[in-house]
Amino acid sequence: MKILIVDDFSTMRRIVKNLLKDLGFNNTQEADDGQTALPMLQQGDFDFLVTDWNMPGMQGIDLLKNVRADPGLKDLPVLMVTAEAKREQIVEAAQAGVNGYIVKPFTAGTLKEKIEKIFERIEGN
Amino acid sequence: MENEDKLMTEVTLNQARELIQHLEDGNVEKAREAIDGLSQIREASLFVEVGKLTRQLHEALTNFQLDSKLMGIAAQEIPDAKERLNYVIQTTENAANTTMDLVEKSIPISAKIKVDAEELSLDWERLYRRELGPGEFRELAGRIENFLKNVSSESTELNGILNDVMVAQNYQDLTGQVIRKVITLVHDVEENLVELIKMFGNTDEYEEAQKEEVKTSGVEGPVIDETRDDVLTSQDDVDDLLSSLGF
């Protein structure tokens, strides 16, 4: 399981990386915005994307839309971890095809629960 | 002001007419009195003028004070505040990294204790089931002795790390002080802006703008205003919304 973590704050990437490691996901890579992340996703064989929303360069929501529009990436599971918590934003992310949405600040338990739920669904399909 | 001036002119005119009348009548005594009265009027109007000037001077001085305060804010305090806020970002980032360094250092230690303890308890159970030969028992006893020694030193190391984690949180005190100073500055700027609006602008518009509800769209980071109803405040609310959308 190869996971890409996208956040402009290195401390947040590090937290997510450590929590994923604790859940047994050791193969992670990092990017600091959508612009850097998209070519990495297109070139690498990632199985999962964890992304922030508010970033300089390409924002998380646009990264998600780009992923869904790319034939090679359209089925990639995407988990959004963000401080953006407006109703309209969550609806927008849902409509863009996000697989899970976590608002910051979050707990290790929430991350675990959402990741498990996403994989349960994928395996169920 | 205008009324005052008019009244003054009228009084002066009356006095002047009286003076002429007295002079024509040849009443020197009365004429002298009228001249005194006229000079009193002159003095009184002089006082009024001085009063006006004083008020203007006072206003000019107040405005000047405001100007020099704004100057100080723009030239010194705001650049200083930017530096302070950058310090807050840097300090909190350092503290987060220090804490994570320490946590990453302690995870393998506790993981090793867990693995060793699990291995030992498997063999310990074999001992209870009498599955161990005498050689194996001696070897197990040696491993247990080692384990106990290691746990003692490793937990001492973990204690040290936890203490360092605790000390790393002292950033909160420092950043709290810095942020409090910036809040005071924001407050001062607000007061000065309100003064400026009062002096040169429209107070009614300002009061109206205060009551306006701000609608923001797009990204804005964490929302602190709890009264806003377009923002969800917990993961549970987010989950509920998503499940209402068929998630």
Side-chain angles (χ1 to χ4, degrees):
Chain A
M1 173 74 63
K2 194 169 155 193
I3 304 176
L4 183 64
I5 304 162
V6 190
D7 199 308
D8 52 334
F9 275 83
S10 64
T11 43
M12 192 47 80
R13 294 200 299 270
R14 201 170 164 191
I15 290 170
V16 173
K17 191 176 102 181
N18 271 310
L19 290 175
L20 288 173
K21 205 192 251 175
D22 191 51
L23 295 173
F25 303 110
N26 291 307
N27 190 3
T28 53
Q29 283 190 30
E30 298 175 30
D32 60 5
D33 85 319
Q35 225 139 32
T36 326
L38 194 58
M40 286 174 81
L41 290 167
Q42 283 161 341
Q43 283 155 28
D45 46 346
F46 285 96
D47 304 293
F48 192 51
L49 169 64
V50 179
T51 183
D52 183 23
W53 183 316
N54 191 2
M55 293 178 288
M58 191 196 290
Q59 305 229 337
I61 188 72
D62 297 319
L63 176 62
L64 171 63
K65 287 172 183 169
N66 274 295
V67 163
R68 289 292 173 255
D70 187 315
L73 297 172
K74 66 180 173 45
D75 296 321
L76 181 74
V78 178
L79 175 64
M80 206 146 217
V81 181
T82 172
E84 300 300 319
K86 274 187 291 200
R87 195 170 277 112
E88 60 180 44
Q89 288 178 307
I90 295 160
V91 172
E92 187 185 355
Q95 282 167 348
V98 82
N99 299 81
Y101 199 103
I102 295 177
V103 282
K104 293 174 186 170
F106 63 98
T107 63
T110 304
L111 185 71
K112 183 169 188 271
E113 182 198 320
K114 301 302 166 200
I115 288 180
E116 280 171 356
K117 211 170 152 194
I118 289 171
F119 287 124
E120 259 170 41
R121 260 218 206 104
I122 289 167
E123 279 155 21
N125 285 338
Chain B
M1 255 322 133
E2 244 173 57
N3 284 342
E4 234 173 78
D5 285 347
K6 230 184 206 169
L7 192 74
M8 205 65 101
T9 318
E10 218 168 289
V11 172
T12 315
L13 204 59
N14 285 340
Q15 295 259 27
R17 281 196 190 111
E18 268 177 43
L19 170 62
I20 291 165
Q21 189 64 50
H22 291 316
L23 285 173
E24 278 171 358
D25 295 347
N27 193 339
V28 180
E29 193 62 34
K30 288 269 180 190
R32 210 170 273 152
E33 272 174 33
I35 288 171
D36 283 349
L38 271 172
S39 69
Q40 268 170 18
I41 289 174
R42 224 186 89 207
E43 271 168 30
S45 61
L46 189 68
F47 277 128
V48 171
E49 283 310 310
V50 170
K52 276 188 206 165
L53 277 176
T54 313
R55 194 166 332 141
Q56 278 169 4
L57 182 66
H58 177 74
E59 271 168 21
L61 279 175
T62 333
N63 293 356
F64 176 71
Q65 260 176 8
L66 181 83
D67 285 349
S68 65
K69 207 172 172 196
L70 272 179
M71 207 78 82
I73 285 176
Q76 299 285 341
E77 290 184 48
I78 287 184
D80 182 56
K82 285 195 281 188
E83 228 168 87
R84 284 172 186 279
L85 291 177
N86 276 324
Y87 165 84
V88 170
I89 293 180
Q90 199 54 57
T91 311
T92 50
E93 188 183 333
N94 289 346
N97 281 322
T98 307
T99 305
M100 283 190 284
D101 286 344
L102 292 164
V103 170
E104 282 174 9
K105 203 168 139 191
S106 60
I107 285 173
I109 301 174
S110 65
K112 181 179 170 288
I113 294 175
K114 180 180 148 80
V115 169
D116 288 352
E118 279 170 356
E119 277 176 11
L120 282 175
S121 63
L122 281 180
D123 286 336
W124 191 250
E125 279 162 25
R126 283 180 64 214
L127 173 74
Y128 269 115
R129 293 198 298 267
R130 298 170 194 275
E131 289 170 11
L132 289 188
E136 280 180 308
F137 175 74
R138 259 196 304 280
E139 191 254 347
L140 176 61
R143 273 165 58 209
I144 288 178
E145 204 180 318
N146 259 337
F147 175 73
L148 293 175
K149 272 186 214 149
N150 286 342
V151 166
S152 171
S153 69
E154 281 156 353
S155 53
T156 306
E157 195 182 348
L158 282 176
N159 269 342
I161 292 174
L162 287 174
N163 269 332
D164 290 343
V165 166
M166 191 166 64
V167 174
Q169 310 312 307
N170 67 6
Y171 76 91
Q172 209 279 331
D173 170 30
L174 303 171
T175 55
Q177 290 183 47
V178 169
I179 290 173
R180 212 165 280 143
K181 272 212 141 173
V182 176
I183 292 174
T184 309
L185 169 65
V186 171
H187 179 78
D188 286 351
V189 170
E190 184 189 351
E191 275 192 340
N192 276 282
L193 284 176
V194 172
E195 276 307 310
L196 274 179
I197 291 168
K198 275 187 192 157
M199 233 186 297
F200 303 112
N202 187 332
T203 322
D204 292 341
E205 271 177 40
Y206 166 70
E207 277 165 9
E208 229 163 82
Q210 267 185 318
K211 286 178 210 141
E212 243 169 56
E213 262 189 48
V214 184
K215 259 246 157 190
T216 48
S217 58
V219 287
E220 55 176 314
V223 173
I224 288 110
D225 182 359
E226 284 177 11
T227 60
R228 274 176 57 176
D229 54 8
D230 60 333
V231 178
L232 303 179
T233 48
S234 72
Q235 184 67 42
D236 283 345
D237 291 345
V238 174
D239 292 348
D240 287 348
L241 175 61
L242 286 175
S243 72
S244 78
L245 295 168
F247 265 72

